[in-house]
Amino acid sequence: MKEWKSFDVITRGQGMWLIDSKGNRLLDGVASMWCNVWGHSKKELVDAIIGQTRKLQHSSLFNLTNDQAELLAEKLVKISTGMNKVFFSDDGSTAMEIAAKMALQYWQNIGVKNKTRFVTLENGYHGDTIGAMSLGYIPLFFSRFKSLLFSVIRTPTPHKYRMPKKQSFKEYENFCIQKIEGVFSKNDNIAAFVMESGAQVAGGAIIYPLGFQNKVSKLCKKYDVLLILDEVATGFGRLGSLIEYESQNSIPDIVSYGKMLTAGYLPLAATLTNKKIYDAFLGKYEDMKQLFHGHTFTGNPLAAATALANLKLYEKNKLISKIKKNTQLFTSRIDEITELNLVGDVRHKGMLMGIELVSSKKEKTPIRPEKSIHKRIFVEAKKHKIYLRTLGHIVLLVPPLAISSNELDFLLDGTIDTIKKVTKEL
Ligand SMILES: Cc1ncc(COP(=O)(O)O)c(C=O)c1O
């Protein structure tokens, strides 16, 4: 992008703050791409990395395993109701690719040859690799790659602010559910339904009404369709719960974790599934039931040790119950933000807030790309010593979970002042 002449070079991180090569400090309002939990340079996590580095840096999960990956798998199964087995990978996109491949092959392994299609919610996002782009299709990002993507059936997302016609939100939610049921009842070839758990984050912080995900899970059971949930962005506390599908009362067949699993310190993702799916892959070598999928760094012990140390901190610090206080702080500022001139909608759950900027509140017209809103917000926010990033015309506040109340207030004050200043410029 031509207008970006240079970038700030971050050389250090201290708590919630990023420090650049010139010594400038920025409060990390993005949790370094939605994955930081405790802030930067947290002693326990750094110690875990150093400690493990002295013992074993990498070994493979091909014919072998390692103690850290084993312990982490055990831990993840323990905290994930209904899940029994773990497949490790390196990032969220890959975790979703694995989920899709597992679902597709599951049906073949049990002799159901026709279940090959996926159904997803419109506006979902599951990553940037080819399979993940196919599942989560955001036209702005992916339209150029359409020729590479596999075809997926999409049903509407219950998005209150952008419902297509005047109706109650309940009516619209029912319509969205009926659409899914319509697809399931007319097609007996659906392998799986895929959705982000709790909310679409990259799609603009679209938070589903409580009960929606539970209804989807019931439909999946009724029509014998696997449910794949993506908790890469929404799990581990982002929406206020450790495992979001539990608070949504919707146990999936396959779930993907990533981002905050290592508190954002090292790349690691996991795809978990239940015994039913796992058993369908179990057979003699020559049966060829196994999942032919593996990455070089699958089950990396440094990443696994970091994740274990991270999850230990969650328990020791009772993080999930502490998040409630910050959640209330977010809630208490919603009216103030909604009243701002450019703000069309404010959506919030847990430690996620989306502020949708529009040029007309009445028409709900998104601010046009030529207004360079992303750049204006970023530059102005820096003057307020905060690091903010927009998704198109939507400002996302995604701070590290353990941010203090004072720092969260600082972030919210800076965001409000930034939006006010940018409003004046426009
Ligand atoms: C819901 C969801 N799934 C998958 C991904 C992809 O994760 P990664 O960027 O680690 O590949 C993301 C990334 O933002 C995400 O938000």
Side-chain angles (χ1 to χ4, degrees):
M1 292 174 285
K2 271 189 177 165
E3 70 271 29
W4 295 79
K5 299 277 186 289
S6 66
F7 293 95
D8 308 298
V9 179
I10 302 301
T11 52
R12 277 190 304 138
Q14 239 176 31
M16 304 299 146
W17 297 82
L18 295 164
I19 303 159
D20 74 13
S21 51
K22 295 177 189 141
N24 300 313
R25 292 162 67 86
L26 288 177
L27 185 71
D28 189 353
V30 179
S32 293
M33 277 328 292
W34 321 341
C35 58
N36 192 292
V37 176
W38 302 101
H40 302 273
S41 309
K42 179 83 174 166
K43 185 179 181 311
E44 290 86 339
L45 299 176
V46 174
D47 286 349
I49 297 171
I50 294 170
Q52 183 57 38
T53 307
R54 292 209 172 93
K55 288 190 265 181
L56 175 70
Q57 310 71 44
H58 185 58
S59 166
S60 94
L61 288 202
F62 294 76
N63 296 4
L64 295 172
T65 182
N66 69 67
D67 60 341
Q68 299 303 308
E70 288 292 298
L71 289 169
L72 180 59
E74 210 174 287
K75 182 77 193 166
L76 290 177
V77 163
K78 204 165 165 193
I79 60 174
S80 307
T81 306
M83 299 298 115
N84 304 91
K85 297 287 171 182
V86 181
F87 198 117
F88 286 115
S89 58
D90 316 324
D91 55 65
S93 312
T94 318
M96 288 307 293
E97 300 265 346
I98 293 163
K101 285 171 77 171
M102 262 185 199
L104 201 69
Q105 191 178 329
Y106 165 76
W107 292 113
Q108 291 172 40
N109 281 5
I110 63 163
V112 180
K113 301 288 179 214
N114 69 325
K115 283 192 179 258
T116 55
R117 299 212 67 191
F118 291 90
V119 185
T120 68
L121 290 180
E122 282 165 5
N123 198 48
Y125 178 83
H126 300 289
D128 278 356
T129 55
I130 307 285
M133 282 195 288
S134 307
L135 294 172
Y137 184 74
I138 296 182
L140 172 69
F141 303 158
F142 303 144
S143 58
R144 287 162 189 85
F145 310 109
K146 225 170 172 175
S147 61
L148 299 176
L149 309 183
F150 58 79
S151 134
V152 163
I153 302 171
R154 288 174 217 285
T155 62
T157 302
H159 184 2
K160 191 174 181 183
Y161 184 62
R162 294 206 176 273
M163 289 187 288
K165 61 174 183 164
K166 263 208 151 93
Q167 57 195 314
S168 75
F169 190 35
K170 195 80 214 155
E171 280 168 338
Y172 188 53
E173 184 196 344
N174 288 340
F175 168 80
C176 296
I177 289 292
Q178 282 160 16
K179 281 280 181 192
I180 298 170
E181 179 144 31
V183 172
F184 285 0
S185 61
K186 286 192 197 83
N187 301 279
D188 65 355
N189 59 354
I190 309 299
F193 188 87
V194 184
M195 67 191 284
E196 286 153 88
S197 190
Q200 293 181 332
V201 183
I206 295 153
I207 294 145
Y208 316 133
L210 200 60
F212 176 76
Q213 195 163 309
N214 171 261
K215 286 178 199 146
V216 175
S217 72
K218 284 185 179 148
L219 283 181
C220 287
K221 290 218 163 53
K222 182 173 168 188
Y223 290 94
D224 206 12
V225 167
L226 298 180
L227 176 62
I228 300 176
L229 290 179
D230 181 344
E231 297 221 357
V232 169
T234 52
F236 295 95
R238 179 55 62 202
L239 298 184
S241 55
L242 183 65
I243 305 296
E244 181 59 18
Y245 70 73
E246 293 193 358
S247 76
Q248 301 281 345
N249 192 14
S250 59
I251 296 179
D253 296 284
I254 302 173
V255 63
S256 296
Y257 300 144
K259 290 199 189 271
M260 294 198 290
L261 188 51
T262 61
Y265 280 45
L266 287 172
L268 179 70
T271 308
L272 277 71
T273 192
N274 55 31
K275 191 171 178 316
K276 178 183 90 173
I277 308 264
Y278 176 81
D279 283 349
F281 286 81
L282 209 51
K284 292 192 195 122
Y285 179 77
E286 61 268 28
D287 295 342
M288 291 290 149
K289 284 186 169 180
Q290 60 271 46
L291 181 67
F292 283 100
H293 191 112
H295 295 282
T296 307
F297 292 107
T298 290
N300 174 260
L302 293 177
T306 313
L308 281 164
N310 178 34
L311 293 174
K312 210 164 156 188
L313 282 176
Y314 271 68
E315 282 165 18
K316 188 172 153 218
N317 292 281
K318 299 191 172 53
L319 181 67
I320 297 300
S321 51
K322 281 199 184 140
I323 287 172
K324 290 197 172 72
K325 199 171 154 213
N326 274 340
T327 296
Q328 283 159 4
L329 215 160
F330 261 122
T331 314
S332 71
R333 310 282 306 258
I334 287 181
D335 289 348
E336 197 183 338
I337 301 171
T338 310
E339 279 162 16
L340 297 174
N341 265 344
L342 287 183
V343 174
D345 193 31
V346 181
R347 303 184 277 274
H348 162 240
K349 188 171 182 199
M351 293 297 282
L352 169 73
M353 181 178 264
I355 305 170
E356 183 151 355
L357 303 179
V358 291
S359 50
S360 155
K361 285 200 184 212
K362 190 159 172 273
E363 306 294 330
K364 301 183 179 177
T365 325
I367 294 189
R368 294 195 312 276
E370 58 269 30
K371 297 279 183 196
S372 285
I373 195 83
H374 60 289
K375 177 95 191 282
R376 287 175 195 270
I377 294 280
F378 173 74
V379 169
E380 188 56 36
K382 268 201 322 184
K383 293 181 193 158
H384 292 86
K385 301 203 178 311
I386 57 177
Y387 169 38
L388 279 191
R389 188 172 171 270
T390 65
L391 280 165
H393 64 291
I394 300 168
V395 180
L396 275 196
L397 296 184
V398 196
L401 300 183
I403 191 169
S404 70
S405 308
N406 283 346
E407 284 164 324
L408 185 55
D409 259 332
F410 185 89
L411 176 67
L412 286 159
D413 288 342
T415 304
I416 290 169
D417 289 344
T418 295
I419 294 173
K420 280 183 182 162
K421 184 74 198 303
V422 170
T423 307
K424 268 196 194 144
E425 281 175 20
L426 291 174

